[in-house]
Amino acid sequence: MSVAMRNCMRILLLAVAFLSATVPAWGGIEPLPHDSLRTEGYLKGLEAYRAGDYKTAVGLWKEEARRGNALAQCNLGACYVQGKGVGQNYNRAVSWFNKSAAQGNDVAQCNLGNCYHKGYGVKHDLQEAVKWYRLAAGQDNAAAMTNLGVCYRQGEGVEADTLMAFDYLYRAADKGYSVACNEVGDCFFFGYGVEQNADEAFYWYKKAAVQGLDSAQYNLAMCYAYGDGAVQDDVAAFRWFEKAAAQGHVKAQYTLAGCYSNGTGVEKDSVKAATWYEKAAVAGHADAQYIIAGCYYSGYGVKENHATAAKWYRKAAKNGDADAMCQLAGCYYWGDGVAYDYEEAMTLYLMAAELGSAEAMYCLAEYYVPEGEESIDLKSAFAWYRQAAELEYVPAYNKLAYCYYIGVVDSVDYKTAVKWYRKGADAGDADAQYNIAHCYYMGRGVAQNYNTAARWCAKAAAQGNADAMYLLGIMYYRGLGVEQDYGKAVNWYKMAAIKEHPAALYDLGVCHYYGQGVPKNRDKAIELWRLSAEQDFEDAVRALKDLDR
């Protein structure tokens, strides 16, 4: 969870938690502690601020602040922090906070602590921040207690002390302060300074959530989603994600999109899923940027637009998303949504690979061309295939196995090839299933076993692998590992021939020529041989020449 400094100043004093990385939430109106400061100018300024007339509010408060009104000074400082009614200026904010804090205003003291915590208008100084938080907390300021508790929990400006952290946070939460309630929920959920207790965590998250705190609403939704401290309830989770998302909570927006995409707690809706992914993406959520890019690429919930997809892949890539780098590289490699740029594609693949993207490693292996396109550097390709395979990238298994099979690095190594073919085959890769079948058929790297070869061939053929269909045809033709059956042989040859497999076209022609599994048909045989010969299949070329003699 982020540092709990989102509501460090009361709204009465225009207090916002500008330490938070998330959008700050505003607190409620509270009575003024000093009647002497409730001047006409101050109250008119407050009225103008509530109406959204920040410029008028600033003008009125400036007059009061110059007369020494501590509340007006604090409010004016907050306006400079937010840039409301004036240009954002942290130096001036600090100046006004200092004036107000010197008069003992607890909210200004807390705000000044925030400035030191973040280095706004002053040098970053955590110890100084803690000093001001402690002064404000001594006046029972709930926001300061919360900030001080977080500092103790994280060891910022003080020695880490989770027990002390919990004490401060609980005291603030006991006052009903929403941010503190959420942080106490974290303490119980993760066991910070107190024994882990999911039920207590749920209670405190809910107490903050019903006050409208977006981060607490998100946490409560997660409790419902996973059944932590509550009965698992996808519908309730969806409702709280929706509330937090509506307030701009980026993680909630991203999760809500997933709910619509998967139909979790709500009916599936690709348009709404894409809408929320894009909202989170605009807010800088890298995973959302990657997913909305995919939405635009495939037309999921939005109109297909590869240029927009490339734009979002680029944004996600700039945020360090390795998968996005890999996809953007593909766009450049194929000129898809962007102008073709081979060098940029390789640069992106390398960047993604260095970040551990197995897919990028595989793509580098596939496209590794050292100079021009005359020859592929198989040794470099092998190195990338191996890295991808070691990261369990399934398509790399078969390619790495083939490198061992043909002896790319040193000498032929059938046994190691079989090891990787088997991994790919077990993972469902049709090419690997065919190749391990071929190894069993030929007895390379394993003992020759036609029965096992036939089983793997059948698996690969069922996935549409033409080589497996052809090999099954051969095995039925010769009765290897299966009962000899010319009819079944012809059927498998036909299936492979439909995929324009040259050897299958030739052997099917042979069956037609001799009437094996089909009636004799010389013309059909010649037609099939010609189709095979067009692919320079030598047996077919020779057969046609023999007919001409």
Side-chain angles (χ1 to χ4, degrees), residues 430 434 456-462 465-473 492 501:
Y434 163 72
W456 280 115
C457 260
K459 289 179 182 289
N465 185 285
D467 288 327
M469 294 171 182
Y470 173 63
L471 184 54
L472 267 179
W492 284 113
H501 192 287

Side-chain angles (χ1 to χ4, degrees), residues 398-420:
N398 183 62
K399 297 296 180 72
L400 180 62
Y402 182 70
C403 289
Y404 282 111
Y405 191 88
I406 64 174
V408 165
V409 179
D410 297 313
S411 58
V412 169
D413 186 345
Y414 292 139
K415 285 188 177 180
T416 304
V418 166
K419 170 191 138 182
W420 287 106

Side-chain angles (χ1 to χ4, degrees), residues 462-542:
Q463 294 194 67
N465 185 285
D467 288 327
M469 294 171 182
Y470 173 63
L471 184 54
L472 267 179
I474 290 175
M475 297 182 82
Y476 275 107
Y477 187 89
R478 299 179 180 176
L480 300 174
V482 292
E483 187 176 345
Q484 187 180 42
D485 188 324
Y486 287 143
K488 288 184 178 180
V490 165
N491 287 337
W492 284 113
Y493 286 151
K494 280 182 179 178
M495 292 176 70
I498 289 171
K499 294 178 176 290
E500 300 182 355
H501 192 287
L505 288 165
Y506 171 74
D507 281 0
L508 185 58
V510 170
C511 290
H512 279 284
Y513 191 84
Y514 291 106
Q516 295 170 319
V518 288
K520 280 188 179 183
N521 189 328
R522 186 174 184 276
D523 292 339
K524 184 65 176 179
I526 292 171
E527 176 190 339
L528 291 164
W529 287 343
R530 282 177 177 162
L531 290 172
S532 179
E534 287 174 2
Q535 298 185 55
D536 297 323
F537 190 70
E538 291 183 3
D539 287 351
V541 172
R542 190 180 305 111

Side-chain angles (χ1 to χ4, degrees), residues 88-109:
Q88 190 177 62
N89 189 318
Y90 293 132
N91 290 329
R92 291 187 179 181
V94 168
S95 176
W96 286 113
F97 287 148
N98 263 316
K99 291 178 187 295
S100 182
Q103 297 190 63
N105 184 283
D106 60 309
V107 177
Q109 291 169 344

Side-chain angles (χ1 to χ4, degrees), residues 79-325:
C79 286
Y80 276 113
V81 168
Q82 285 192 300
K84 287 187 173 181
V86 289
Q88 190 177 62
N89 189 318
Y90 293 132
N91 290 329
R92 291 187 179 181
V94 168
S95 176
W96 286 113
F97 287 148
N98 263 316
K99 291 178 187 295
S100 182
Q103 297 190 63
N105 184 283
D106 60 309
V107 177
Q109 291 169 344
C110 181
N111 294 347
L112 199 53
N114 285 348
C115 291
Y116 279 105
H117 192 283
K118 297 297 288 185
Y120 289 167
V122 290
K123 184 179 179 181
H124 175 67
D125 189 332
L126 293 175
Q127 290 182 337
E128 190 70 10
V130 167
K131 182 191 87 173
W132 286 107
Y133 290 149
R134 202 182 298 280
L135 283 171
Q139 297 191 63
D140 231 18
N141 183 291
M145 291 179 193
T146 304
N147 295 347
L148 193 55
V150 173
C151 286
Y152 271 110
R153 190 172 71 196
Q154 299 183 349
E156 295 181 335
V158 291
E159 187 176 345
D161 186 334
T162 56
L163 293 176
M164 183 70 76
F166 180 77
D167 181 63
Y168 274 113
L169 292 169
Y170 192 86
R171 283 165 58 192
D174 198 42
K175 291 178 173 294
Y177 186 56
S178 62
V179 179
C181 291
N182 186 53
E183 293 295 338
V184 168
D186 279 353
C187 290
F188 277 112
F189 192 88
F190 295 105
Y192 297 147
V194 67
E195 187 177 346
Q196 275 187 293
N197 188 320
D199 292 340
E200 282 288 323
F202 177 84
Y203 168 81
W204 288 104
Y205 285 147
K206 189 170 184 179
K207 193 166 184 177
V210 295
Q211 294 184 59
L213 186 66
D214 58 350
S215 54
Q217 291 170 341
Y218 174 77
N219 291 338
L220 188 63
M222 293 295 284
C223 287
Y224 277 118
Y226 290 97
D228 290 322
V231 176
Q232 199 279 334
D233 187 336
D234 288 335
V235 175
F238 169 82
R239 285 200 302 268
W240 285 107
F241 282 135
E242 189 175 38
K243 289 178 184 292
Q247 293 195 69
H249 191 284
V250 180
K251 286 184 179 179
Q253 292 174 338
Y254 174 74
T255 310
L256 187 65
C259 290
Y260 278 116
S261 180
N262 299 318
T264 306
V266 66
E267 189 175 344
K268 282 188 179 182
D269 190 323
S270 63
V271 174
K272 288 183 178 179
T275 297
W276 284 107
Y277 277 133
E278 192 151 20
K279 284 180 184 290
V282 169
H285 194 291
D287 287 342
Q289 290 170 341
Y290 176 76
I291 292 176
I292 194 62
C295 291
Y296 275 107
Y297 194 89
S298 63
Y300 177 81
V302 291
K303 185 177 180 180
E304 185 176 321
N305 188 320
H306 290 196
T308 302
K311 179 195 80 171
W312 281 115
Y313 281 136
R314 188 177 294 107
K315 287 182 181 290
K318 286 181 179 178
N319 279 329
D321 190 301
D323 291 331
M325 292 176 193

